[in-house]
Amino acid sequence: MVSFVVENPQTMSASQNVFVSETTMSSIIPNNNNNSSSQKLPPGLISISKKKLLKNIDIINNGGGQRINAWVDSMRASSPTHLKSLPSSISSQQQLNSWIMQHPSALEMFERIIEASGGKQIVMFLDYDGTLSPIVDDPDKAFMSSKMRRTVKKLGKCFPTAIVTGRCIDKVYNFVKLAELYYAGSHGMDIIGPAKGFSRHKRVKQSLLYQPANDYLPMIDEVYKQLLEKTKSTPGVKVENHKFCASVHFRCVDEKRWSELVLQVRSVLKKFPTLKLTQGRKVFEIRPMIEWDKGKALEFLLESLGFGNSNNVFPVYIGDDRTDEDAFKMLRDRGEGFGILVSKFPKDTDASYSLQDPSEVMDFLRRLVEWKQMQPIM
């Protein structure tokens, strides 16, 4: 297993310059030296000015009706089941058919996918919500079926398998309950390996653990508390603390209250310039402003498995959310493996294939297991 040394950021003010590492294990490091332009930077670090940092967080700190309206429009678009997203005309049906041709069903293309793997080591990466479990109004009730759990358990016996999710590890583990898997929680900012005695992959230490945003824990706790207080007047909102990030779910919030919710969230984030606000499937995500995402987590896990620079690996990532696009893009850039988007509706994506819902995901995983079990033991 390769060891990495990562400098973690401390709380900083918006008036400070920062250094950002160009390596994959980078984060934001405050510079308290007023003469930063003459300071010699550590190897691999580049200086980013206050102006550029403030531009990155402009969406949080600047007001304006147009910006609020843009966020509300984005909130509508984040729900694939929104009425305006439904194909209701010949034109939209043609667009759907065209999208399916570009992102064909992974079930229909199963044989081609196996052929593309070319006998390489398949490594599986799975999102949770919307992939292994259905999307539900209450995120605390996003239970996976017993059939899906049995399927994922069999999958873990056949291939190295990781759950990569925005949820904190404790919560997703309580849903999945499979000690033999790898878990990357908080969008990959909290990574653990299989429990002792369960690892079937000798290249990896069972104590695999990586937390690139450890110094942000007190800040995330404080943001979570402030978001709870600020949004309590908005019916239907659900705020969660995922340890290294926080989320604000608006799936059950009346659309008429969305503008109000945007203002509430932004008013809290103004006080935390080193956190960034992103959006997923009917949820706001508040994360540390570090160069780390699900794609970086996928790279880290492949490196830990001994496949960092290997040509003998075939990673497969299945997910349904915007945050999964970082992993899809990483696989495209890597030129190995592919991404599968779980969606019934056309979306801009770097995934190569598609599946419509968790039931199709389960069918695909079952076929993978059956194919592997039929292979001769080498």
Side-chain angles (χ1 to χ4, degrees):
M1 176 177 174
V2 178
S3 298
F4 300 96
V5 178
V6 181
E7 295 107 332
N8 288 315
Q10 304 288 342
T11 303
M12 67 180 180
S13 69
S15 63
Q16 293 172 311
N17 286 344
V18 296
F19 298 139
V20 179
S21 172
E22 294 178 332
T23 65
T24 57
M25 303 298 175
S26 58
S27 61
I28 294 178
I29 308 171
N31 171 26
N32 295 318
N33 190 335
N34 293 329
N35 298 320
S36 59
S37 60
S38 62
Q39 184 181 16
K40 186 176 180 179
L41 302 181
L45 297 179
I46 58 175
S47 178
I48 291 183
S49 66
K50 176 183 73 174
K51 181 178 179 181
K52 187 168 183 179
L53 175 61
L54 292 178
K55 181 179 180 180
N56 289 340
I57 58 177
D58 176 69
I59 190 64
I60 297 172
N61 286 343
N62 289 343
Q66 291 183 342
R67 192 171 295 279
I68 295 295
N69 291 337
W71 269 97
V72 172
D73 288 342
S74 180
M75 292 165 75
R76 292 193 185 100
S78 74
S79 173
T81 55
H82 195 274
L83 291 177
K84 293 184 179 179
S85 299
L86 295 175
S88 57
S89 66
I90 295 177
S91 176
S92 59
Q93 186 61 49
Q94 290 175 339
Q95 292 176 358
L96 176 60
N97 293 339
S98 175
W99 185 86
I100 291 176
M101 288 184 64
Q102 297 176 37
H103 308 90
S105 166
L107 282 171
E108 294 179 6
M109 296 294 175
F110 184 81
E111 297 300 330
R112 182 180 297 182
I113 291 170
I114 293 301
E115 183 180 347
S117 69
K120 298 179 180 180
Q121 172 64 65
I122 295 175
V123 182
M124 296 300 300
F125 300 90
L126 307 170
D127 180 33
Y128 183 77
D129 294 274
T131 300
L132 298 181
S133 73
I135 295 293
V136 295
D137 290 341
D138 185 351
D140 289 334
K141 296 181 180 179
F143 304 111
M144 66 188 301
S145 68
S146 56
K147 290 183 179 179
M148 179 67 88
R149 182 175 292 104
R150 288 195 296 270
T151 300
V152 176
K153 184 179 180 68
K154 292 177 182 178
L155 184 76
K157 291 180 179 179
C158 296
F159 312 100
T161 301
I163 307 296
V164 186
T165 174
R167 290 178 179 267
C168 70
I169 284 181
D170 290 343
K171 281 191 176 182
V172 77
Y173 184 83
N174 285 336
F175 282 133
V176 180
K177 297 177 181 176
L178 295 174
E180 55 266 47
L181 305 184
Y182 302 85
Y183 291 86
S186 301
H187 301 286
M189 287 182 283
D190 194 9
I191 300 176
I192 61 173
K196 186 175 181 179
F198 281 96
S199 178
R200 297 179 175 86
H201 312 291
K202 304 303 181 182
R203 297 183 180 184
V204 182
K205 294 181 180 179
Q206 294 173 343
S207 58
L208 170 65
L209 175 67
Y210 186 65
Q211 297 176 334
N214 197 52
D215 287 353
Y216 277 94
L217 287 175
M219 190 185 302
I220 294 297
D221 286 340
E222 180 59 29
V223 167
Y224 168 70
K225 293 175 184 176
Q226 292 192 25
L227 285 171
L228 277 178
E229 180 64 26
K230 183 66 70 172
T231 63
K232 67 181 182 180
S233 62
T234 303
V237 70
K238 173 79 173 181
V239 182
E240 288 190 294
N241 186 341
H242 298 300
K243 189 174 180 179
F244 292 98
C245 59
S247 63
V248 180
H249 297 268
F250 54 88
R251 181 170 299 277
C252 297
V253 176
D254 191 311
E255 189 170 328
K256 296 178 181 178
R257 307 290 293 268
W258 285 1
S259 296
E260 172 188 333
L261 181 61
V262 172
L263 289 171
Q264 291 170 344
V265 173
R266 282 176 33 171
S267 67
V268 172
L269 268 291
K270 283 181 180 181
K271 307 168 189 175
F272 301 91
T274 58
L275 299 180
K276 61 182 176 181
L277 178 63
T278 60
Q279 191 177 324
R281 196 168 174 177
K282 283 216 165 182
V283 62
F284 288 127
E285 302 282 1
I286 295 90
R287 291 189 265 170
M289 195 183 293
I290 64 173
E291 291 185 18
W292 196 262
D293 51 40
K294 289 184 176 181
K296 297 291 194 301
L298 196 158
E299 283 185 309
F300 173 82
L301 284 166
L302 287 176
E303 185 81 35
S304 301
L305 284 162
F307 296 115
N309 297 310
S310 173
N311 294 321
N312 193 38
V313 63
F314 196 79
V316 178
Y317 189 104
I318 308 179
D320 76 311
D321 205 343
R322 291 183 183 181
T323 57
D324 299 309
E325 289 298 326
D326 295 314
F328 296 154
K329 185 178 186 302
M330 193 283 285
L331 290 179
R332 276 196 181 274
D333 293 344
R334 186 183 175 99
E336 295 175 317
F338 57 84
I340 301 176
L341 176 68
V342 184
S343 177
K344 294 181 179 180
F345 305 94
K347 293 181 180 179
D348 290 333
T349 181
D350 279 308
S352 301
Y353 298 95
S354 64
L355 293 168
Q356 291 205 359
D357 51 41
S359 65
E360 286 201 352
V361 172
M362 184 167 63
D363 289 343
F364 179 80
L365 299 181
R366 280 178 173 174
R367 290 192 65 177
L368 268 179
V369 169
E370 291 169 359
W371 168 80
K372 180 65 175 178
Q373 291 174 341
M374 291 176 62
Q375 301 307 301
I377 299 176
M378 301 298 294

